[in-house]
Amino acid sequence: MPGVMRDLEELVEPPALTGSVSYRLRLLQIAAYKSFEKVVSGFGTAPRYYGMLKLIQANPGIHQMRLAEAIYLDRSSLVPIIEALSNEGWLERRPTRHDRRVRRIYLTDLGERQLALLDAEVERHEAMVTEGFEAAEIQRLLADLGRIDANLRGFLSVSNEGA
Amino acid sequence: MPGVMRDLEELVEPPALTGSVSYRLRLLQIAAYKSFEKVVSGFGTAPRYYGMLKLIQANPGIHQMRLAEAIYLDRSSLVPIIEALSNEGWLERRPTRHDRRVRRIYLTDLGERQLALLDAEVERHEAMVTEGFEAAEIQRLLADLGRIDANLRGFLSVSNEGA
DNA sequence: TATTGTTATACTCTATAACTATA
DNA sequence: TATAGTTATAGAGTATAACAATA
């Protein structure tokens, strides 16, 4: 009776997906994000903006526009995020003297302290993600991902030239 | 006058991000998705579910539950997607004899033909993503991503054991 | 009792367009 | 005229919970 066992068969991954870097990236990102949310808890809305907080930390006084570009967001989409993290005490917006349209973003002291705690959780997650990799392998992987990033940024900026 | 040039300075990427595979994956996926949408057009809502369509093609008659798991979606979230693609003629649901709760999913003939056209667009995009990579480098990268996928799936299934 | 697919519903995230205040 | 930030709004996309049919 062929067909009866069908429900128990392995899922076939077609070559077009198995061999696609884009597809792997997509599924990996979903899985990485879900696992990250399981690892991290008790930090409010901040964990999902960990990357942004680290960028602010490394670039104190960064403009909102600049920040939005860096994380591929529209400037309007960034506003409620900045708002929420300000309300939770992570960061603050300060006006500038030279150009009063611009507001510069800084971590608060509380933000700095909390971010240090969050760093530990993030490292724990990263260790799980790269379990079984040697340091050199991780460096090589990061280099490869960097090359892909360059390809994509190049393509996106070229195809945005008209805008 | 230090500080005046600040607006033109390069963005500093902190080591915690530069060295994080998770973070790279996240940003890459966003960029890859945006570029994919620019490359592909004229296929309705299908391109964003290209991976799912290829899975159905490779696993004709797959159950909805099975499909949902494979792409990390809740079974309820899959329903409107299946619905839309059915309405656009890409696929169809057929009842089963043995277990009448289950509906099996198949590509239609139209779906097969359109998917063949979409394949070409996807290949074009993939070529851009991996531009500058040699075939062996791509294989190595895919292998690395596969190892990460295994780590994540292992972690997610373990931490879901209670559920 | 458990499972598959479905529905109703609400929540999150995002972009677009219009607005303000500055430049 | 153009730009930085904001607001209002609408559209995706997702999960949760409850339901019907079936096992």
Side-chain angles (χ1 to χ4, degrees):
Chain A
M1 278 176 93
V4 166
M5 292 294 293
R6 223 155 194 289
D7 301 1
L8 302 175
E9 278 170 22
E10 281 299 308
L11 186 77
V12 177
E13 278 230 302
L17 299 185
T18 312
S20 164
V21 173
S22 309
Y23 183 72
R24 274 266 172 260
L25 289 177
R26 182 176 169 85
L27 280 197
L28 277 180
Q29 198 279 125
I30 296 172
Y33 192 70
K34 294 204 177 191
S35 68
F36 181 58
E37 285 191 323
K38 294 205 172 190
V39 167
V40 179
S41 63
F43 287 91
T45 53
R48 75 180 7 123
Y49 304 113
Y50 174 75
M52 194 190 75
L53 290 166
K54 292 303 281 184
L55 278 179
I56 295 170
Q57 184 181 46
N59 300 271
I62 189 173
H63 299 192
Q64 286 189 206
M65 284 282 311
R66 197 77 190 293
L67 194 53
E69 281 170 20
I71 58 179
Y72 293 103
L73 275 187
D74 188 87
R75 64 183 197 273
S76 68
S77 303
L78 190 59
V79 175
I81 297 169
I82 297 292
E83 194 79 8
L85 291 172
S86 295
N87 291 339
E88 292 176 28
W90 287 82
L91 47 82
E92 59 186 5
R93 282 166 290 194
R94 300 189 207 145
T96 60
R97 295 161 299 285
H98 305 305
D99 186 341
R100 289 190 311 191
R101 293 171 304 182
V102 173
R103 302 177 75 178
R104 292 174 178 278
I105 301 180
Y106 299 84
L107 287 186
T108 61
D109 288 346
L110 175 65
E112 288 279 4
R113 286 198 303 278
Q114 285 179 313
L115 192 50
L117 298 176
L118 191 48
D119 281 336
E121 301 297 305
V122 169
E123 278 166 29
R124 199 155 64 89
H125 180 257
E126 182 74 8
M128 181 275 287
V129 166
T130 57
E131 196 173 298
F133 280 74
E134 290 171 26
E137 289 179 315
I138 294 176
Q139 288 313 308
R140 189 188 66 190
L141 172 57
L142 287 171
D144 284 349
L145 298 181
R147 290 166 70 188
I148 292 174
D149 189 59
N151 285 343
L152 286 168
R153 288 193 184 255
F155 174 77
L156 285 172
S157 66
V158 165
S159 64
N160 270 339
E161 255 169 11
Chain B
M1 279 174 94
V4 165
M5 293 294 292
R6 222 153 194 290
D7 300 3
L8 302 174
E9 278 170 22
E10 280 298 309
L11 187 76
V12 176
E13 278 230 299
L17 300 185
T18 312
S20 165
V21 172
S22 308
Y23 184 72
R24 275 265 171 261
L25 289 177
R26 182 176 170 85
L27 281 197
L28 277 180
Q29 197 280 125
I30 296 172
Y33 193 70
K34 295 204 177 190
S35 68
F36 181 58
E37 285 190 323
K38 292 205 174 192
V39 167
V40 179
S41 63
F43 286 91
T45 52
R48 80 180 2 124
Y49 305 114
Y50 174 76
M52 194 191 75
L53 289 166
K54 292 302 280 185
L55 278 178
I56 295 170
Q57 185 181 47
N59 301 271
I62 189 173
H63 300 191
Q64 287 188 207
M65 282 284 309
R66 196 75 189 294
L67 194 53
E69 281 169 21
I71 57 179
Y72 293 102
L73 274 187
D74 188 87
R75 65 183 195 274
S76 68
S77 302
L78 190 60
V79 175
I81 297 168
I82 297 292
E83 194 79 8
L85 291 171
S86 294
N87 290 340
E88 293 177 26
W90 287 82
L91 47 82
E92 60 186 4
R93 283 167 288 194
R94 300 189 207 146
T96 60
R97 294 160 301 284
H98 304 305
D99 185 340
R100 290 191 309 190
R101 292 172 303 183
V102 172
R103 302 177 74 179
R104 293 174 177 279
I105 302 180
Y106 298 85
L107 288 185
T108 60
D109 289 345
L110 175 65
E112 289 278 3
R113 286 198 304 277
Q114 285 179 315
L115 191 51
L117 298 176
L118 191 49
D119 281 335
E121 301 296 305
V122 169
E123 278 165 30
R124 199 155 63 90
H125 180 256
E126 182 75 7
M128 181 275 287
V129 167
T130 57
E131 196 173 298
F133 280 73
E134 291 171 25
E137 289 179 315
I138 294 176
Q139 288 313 308
R140 191 188 66 190
L141 172 57
L142 287 172
D144 284 349
L145 297 181
R147 290 165 70 187
I148 293 175
D149 189 57
N151 285 342
L152 286 168
R153 287 193 184 253
F155 174 76
L156 285 172
S157 67
V158 165
S159 63
N160 270 339
E161 254 169 13

